[in-house]
Amino acid sequence: MDEMDLAIDCVRRVIPLTPEEGDYFSSLLRIRRIRKKQAIAQPGFPCKHRSYIAKGAMRAYLVDDEQRLMETVPKFERFFRIITQRGYAFLQQRLLSNLSKIRSDKRKKVDLS
């Protein structure tokens, strides 16, 4: 399975796409190979695209407006909203987990005194 198929499958797990919508989406994609420690975007320059990582991991990435895609295929508004909501929910869970761990560590220090 190539990178284009992986991207389309990722979207199809969230929203249903017709073959035409999938073809249109894949026509907007461009595959780039990024070397280790290479930046996708530079500070001070606006990011004009969205990046998907097919293999490996990145430290951070910026999201810009996907207006053209959402105007042509309105289903993608729902896709980007769901992905953003999932990320926000994960971030909240991580924050609460860290806060409860800090609270637990403080109690252990107090009990040892």
Side-chain angles (χ1 to χ4, degrees):
M1 182 177 285
D2 68 352
E3 288 91 353
M4 292 291 185
D5 292 334
L6 287 172
I8 301 267
D9 286 344
C10 177
V11 171
R12 284 193 174 129
R13 279 186 248 140
V14 179
I15 58 170
L17 287 179
T18 65
E20 295 81 23
E21 292 168 337
D23 291 341
Y24 177 73
F25 178 64
S26 64
S27 74
L28 299 175
L29 299 179
R30 186 182 72 158
I31 296 174
R32 277 180 58 196
R33 307 260 185 247
I34 306 295
R35 292 186 309 274
K36 189 174 183 175
K37 298 194 179 191
Q38 179 182 353
I40 292 177
Q42 299 296 322
F45 293 95
C47 191
K48 298 180 180 178
H49 58 274
R50 179 182 281 256
S51 298
Y52 294 93
I53 310 303
K55 182 179 179 184
M58 298 293 289
R59 289 188 185 183
Y61 62 93
L62 298 174
V63 179
D64 200 11
D65 192 9
E66 294 86 12
Q67 197 64 35
R68 185 177 72 155
L69 178 61
M70 289 189 286
E71 286 174 359
T72 307
V73 185
K75 288 181 183 178
F76 276 99
E77 180 279 328
R78 182 169 188 262
F79 171 73
F80 292 123
R81 182 175 41 79
I82 290 170
I83 294 299
T84 302
Q85 287 172 338
R86 286 181 184 171
Y88 181 67
F90 174 76
L91 187 61
Q92 282 182 320
Q93 287 177 330
R94 185 174 175 186
L95 178 64
L96 291 173
S97 174
N98 286 340
L99 289 174
S100 64
K101 181 179 179 196
I102 290 169
R103 203 174 307 130
S104 172
D105 289 348
K106 284 183 180 179
R107 277 191 224 126
K108 286 179 185 175
K109 287 180 184 177
V110 171
D111 290 342
L112 295 176
S113 301

